[in-house]
Amino acid sequence: MSENSEPSFVENIVNSVTEKIQELPASSQATEEPPVPARYRLFNRQRSLHEIFGGGKSADVLLWRRKYLTGGLLFGATLVWVLFEKSGYTLLTVVANVLLILVVVLFVWSNAAVFLHRSPPPIPELELSEDMVTSFASVLREEINKALAVAHDIALGKDFRLFVKVAAVLWGLSIVGGWFHFLTLIYLCIVIAHTLPVIYDKYEDNIDNYAKVAVEHANKHYRKLDAAFFSRFSRASVKEKKAQ
């Protein structure tokens, strides 16, 4: 009798202890894991590259998700560039000749269709809606006002750091413009726009790691330069303005 009661007593203790443990919150049972540091993203972006490019057909083309269309665009851009480079024609000459041929063909086609009782050429009505023009003008106005505000601050010497950044960008553009003429520069921009995004999308993790190291070094050198030169110049200009 006592032998049968002992196991039941032990089993009751084990069951009660198990129930108490199950009633405890999960945070007390498991040790808290250290928080995972946020992953560095190039330009501190929060969205994927496809979403940044609009997420539509244009994003698919830039990221080579429509290979035939992207390849066709690059082939067409290369063909146009070679045509201008080797033929010696200017952009204005080619555009004027193409429009001349197009106007003549459509004019002859339309008049011949009347005499031959055929349908005229299928030309859609080209018209810009008021909403489209208004939205485009609004966006353009905002961007122009931002550029004018930056130019105003630079001209009045309000932001020396901004002045240095703008001067460096313009100086770099002048150097690049000396290497290539305008048409070649446009062609290079098209090629870069259709190659760099897909390379970054494929090797995103490795590029972000290298970019993080590069940004940290750049910020370190910038802080040294700022403490040694930019901050002193800004404080001196502020004192001069207060004295005036």
Side-chain angles (χ1 to χ4, degrees), residues 13-214:
I13 295 176
V14 172
N15 293 332
S16 61
V17 171
T18 304
E19 292 177 356
K20 295 293 183 181
I21 293 175
Q22 291 178 353
E23 291 176 358
L24 293 175
S27 59
S28 63
Q29 295 180 17
T31 59
E32 295 183 357
E33 297 182 355
V36 179
R39 179 182 172 185
Y40 177 81
R41 294 286 187 178
L42 193 62
F43 304 117
N44 295 324
R45 59 186 179 85
Q46 301 297 328
R47 297 179 298 170
S48 65
L49 208 60
H50 190 265
E51 293 175 348
I52 292 175
F53 287 146
K57 189 175 182 180
S58 59
D60 294 338
V61 171
L62 292 175
L63 296 177
W64 284 80
R65 298 185 180 181
R66 300 192 179 192
K67 297 182 179 180
Y68 294 106
L69 182 57
T70 307
L73 288 174
L74 283 178
F75 177 77
T78 305
L79 186 63
V80 171
W81 179 74
V82 172
L83 174 65
F84 282 110
E85 284 291 321
K86 300 301 180 182
S87 64
Y89 290 111
T90 62
L91 180 62
L92 182 61
T93 302
V94 173
V95 171
N97 289 333
V98 170
L99 291 177
L100 177 62
I101 295 172
L102 184 62
V103 169
V104 171
V105 169
L106 292 176
F107 181 80
V108 174
W109 186 356
S110 299
N111 286 277
V114 175
F115 292 104
L116 299 176
H117 303 286
R118 300 290 182 87
S119 59
I123 303 175
E125 294 184 2
L126 302 177
E127 183 181 358
L128 294 175
S129 63
E130 184 177 356
D131 294 337
M132 183 185 300
V133 175
T134 303
S135 60
F136 177 76
S138 178
V139 173
L140 184 62
R141 182 181 63 84
E142 291 179 0
E143 297 301 326
I144 292 176
N145 287 336
K146 290 179 182 178
L148 292 176
V150 171
H152 182 267
D153 292 341
I154 294 175
L156 295 179
K158 293 182 178 180
D159 195 338
F160 183 72
R161 295 184 181 88
L162 182 61
F163 164 73
V164 173
K165 292 177 182 178
V166 173
V169 171
L170 294 178
W171 179 66
L173 289 176
S174 66
I175 294 177
V176 174
W179 293 342
F180 314 102
H181 57 78
F182 186 66
L183 182 62
T184 303
L185 191 60
I186 292 178
Y187 173 68
L188 289 177
C189 291
I190 293 174
V191 173
I192 291 173
H194 289 82
T195 52
L196 288 186
V198 67
I199 293 174
Y200 176 74
D201 187 61
K202 187 175 182 180
Y203 304 102
E204 180 178 354
D205 295 336
N206 295 330
I207 294 175
D208 284 342
N209 292 332
Y210 287 118
K212 181 181 179 181
V213 176

